[in-house]
Amino acid sequence: MELGPIWRSLSKNKAGFLLIALQIAVTMAIMINAVAIMQERARDMGRPSGLDEPNIFALSSTAFVPGMNMRALIDEDLELIRRTPGVIDAIATNSFPLRQGGSSRGFQTEPGTGKDDVGAAVYFTDEHAIETFGLMLVEGSNFAPNEVTWTEEGSDAWAGTVIVSRAFAEALFPDEEGSYVGKTMYVDQAKPVQITGVVETLQAPWKGWDGVERAMLVPQRRDFNFQRYVVRTEPGMRDVVMPQVEEALAQSNRNRIIQSMRTMDEVRYMAYLGDSAMIKMLAFIVTLLLVITGLGIVGLASFNVSRRTRQIGIRRALGATKTQVVRYFQVENFLVSALGIGVGAVLAVALNMLMVNAFSMAPMAWYIVPIAMVVLWSVGQAAVIGPARRASRISPAIATRSG
Amino acid sequence: MLRYYLKLGMLSIRANPALSALMVAAIGIGIGACMTIMTIQHVMSGNPIPGKSDSLYYVQIDSWDPNNEYNGPNELPEQLTYLDATGIDAAAGDEFRVVWSYKSSRILQPGDGADLPFEVRTRATSFRFFSMFALPFRYGASWDAAADRNREQVVVLSSALNERLFGGGNPVGESVTMNGDVYRVVGVLEPWLPVPKFYDVTNNPYEEPEEAYLPVTVAVAAEHDSAGNTNCWKPFPGGYEAFLNSECIWFQMWAELPTAADKSRFEQLLAAYVEEQKTLGRFPREMHNELSDVMEWMQDNEVVDDDVSVLLGLAFLFLVVCLLNTIGLLLAKVMRRTKDISLRRALGASKQTLFAQYVVEAGLIGIGGGVLGIALTWLGLRGIENLFAGYDFVERLVTMDWVMVLLAVGLAVVSALAAALYPTWRAANVTPASQLRIQ
């Protein structure tokens, strides 16, 4: 190995090589942290809501004439929607997963004030919810129609039974091993509520909440002027059914307006718009960064080649092969990169700790570091190969010229 | 002399077009990335009401659950209950200018039936809202104190809503029907778009202001639901009356306190109010009141998204990489020209002369990078506008003003000069004739 000459040449242009090493280090720190953020966002975006999203849409109805019989209107609306060909089922609910707005309550295992509670999103709806959302009931049973009651605006009445997400049951009863069905908990510090069913997954409406997996269905219908309808259609029928339902509802009663009609795909898109944009921006930054660092390496290597033209010529004249010349530049780059990557790993971890503290991010996965090392080494080697080839083509005859 | 250096600089830049282009590109891209994010941060953290931001204070009191802090240690509830909004307002009387409000919505029924009913976003507030936040009127004026007191059904329309309903004409005195109730139009605003929407940041701080304003006394009497955040900690019996008397928070309150003396008197008023309520069995937590001026309140509420701060940090590091790159390339350039330099030194050029010459050259590269940076910033902002096309408020965040353009050029030149320092110093220190021996 020609480590000796490489070392001597490195120490002759210390500043130049240190700059490249530093550049590689900072690039690595940015890259690793950007990838850590991208990973976190992608993981969030990949969480299932529990719903049969491709076949669901939602819309709202706002009645504006005082004194309307809301219970009758809601029943008629749901009847009309469920009768529409292609519709599997429909519900009225106060909210749904990914909507970013809704209600939550605290639940505790014993009654009384000052007890610890676990928060969960509450969906006030009826026995059609499991079918409409497309939820997987893993324990217990669906609501019976006579379990579902009406509540008036402002009423504090609470249902005696609920169907909860498994994550909620696990959070409230962490030590329970067997069945959650039949368990009693308390809402508003005093009112007993019994779990009669558990669904595999049902998200809360807020994607940024750390309790997003905790939600429940409450068999209470609310006769407010504002209603949100969720409709599930047979596969492939959603886009056909949507305008029909909108038109039919709009025609059926003129004393309300139908608005906010959106597919679940659109709701999901809007919920995660910031995250997907962040992923794209970071990917763009990382790519650009690698290109710039690569170009910097190309620039420095070209400069070194032209500065050492004579020296390379002499080596060639003394019997060095073309491959050896190429290898020389590759090893040189490898060593400089190693320095940069070593410093970069430390910088990256420090920056990550800073961001975890400042922005409550999850710490990065350890394996990003070795992957980033390999990527940066490869970029360095790819960048140096052009100038190194050019160096290898320097004619041995150049050694005979002076200056 | 400067002209000579400029000429030399241009020559040198042209002598190495690839290397020079690489340097300009590196600075330009670094500046572009930084300025794109800085522009957004600049708009997000802008002062929405420059003349009055120091004299308007957001009012917070700790009415929350004795067992649980509102949102973590030392966090106060960000809104007020109905009891406290009305209670503090009554205590303030005419001595202080106090405004409280909440966000709601109504269904507007256009009169002639030609247009279908549609939803309008409303703000229920008192007559002082308009003068306190300096809302510009196109027609008419705010309602008065008597209208608030007597629950008069009056409304102030936004410019856009007036355009839609009355074609932009003067509708003062006309009536508007919302949810079956008839309101008399007393005023129309000029277009008004504070960014952020500082008077209510508990909801989306970048949404447009409401389209119609009506007396809060009317809205509460007619049980208009809040369309903003409502948080409760204490169970309450059913019914709207019980809701009004509950510990649920849904109002935002501001006080206009022009002097430090006013502020301290208002603080005393708040303390006295809370003491009085404690004797009535409310406010179970230790007394903690806070007044935050507009910019403090914007910061408390983190109206600048965390993602923007993260991106800004990464963009600056990115600029650092670009500068390291430029330093390396400039250094390479200087090293390649050591022969030139030592010849010039031998012929009598002083260190200062060479230093000045290379600084001018770096400055040229900096200006080039700045101009490219502005173009890239513009492109970057368009890209972000595209990425966030689903948010209707994004266009308000991606506008570049002159401050940002000048900042971009300034930052580019300063960065280029900073990058040039070391290579230039190396150039100036080449010993005369040291490189001439071989010849």
Side-chain angles (χ1 to χ4, degrees), chain A residues 15-16 19 22-23 26-27 30 37 41 62 64 66 114 153-156 188 257 259 270 273-274 277-278 280-282 285 288-289 292-293 295-296 299 303 306-307 351 355 359 403, chain B residues 22 29 67 107 109 116-119 179-180 225 235-239 306-307 309-311 314 317-318 321-322 324-325 327-329 331-332 335-336 384 387-388 390-391 422 426 438:
Chain A
L19 282 167
L22 204 55
Q23 194 181 335
V26 180
T27 299
I30 300 178
I37 296 173
R41 301 303 167 94
T62 316
F64 55 85
E153 186 137 18
S155 159
D156 67 338
D188 289 351
I257 59 171
Q259 55 184 357
M270 283 307 288
L273 181 56
M278 190 79 173
K280 287 176 196 157
M281 286 188 282
L282 291 172
I285 287 184
L288 214 54
L289 203 54
I292 287 184
T293 302
L295 286 178
F303 161 70
S306 68
R307 209 167 61 120
L351 185 61
M355 292 213 295
F359 304 111
Chain B
L22 194 54
I29 291 172
N67 301 308
I107 303 298
Q109 301 154 266
L116 288 170
F118 58 93
E119 184 171 40
N179 288 60
D225 288 327
F236 58 95
D306 267 1
D307 279 3
S309 311
V310 169
L311 283 172
L314 292 183
L317 285 177
F318 188 112
V321 170
C322 293
L324 287 171
N325 198 27
I327 299 176
L329 295 174
L331 192 62
M335 305 286 277
R336 197 186 281 185
I384 286 185
L387 281 180
F388 289 96
Y391 293 154
Y422 178 68
R426 285 282 297 260
I438 305 171

Side-chain angles (χ1 to χ4, degrees), chain B residues 47 59 62 71 87 135 155 212 284 315 325 377 390 403 423 437:
Chain B
N47 187 337
V59 180
D62 198 349
N71 219 351
L135 274 71
V155 65
N325 198 27
T377 305
V403 180
R437 280 165 301 180

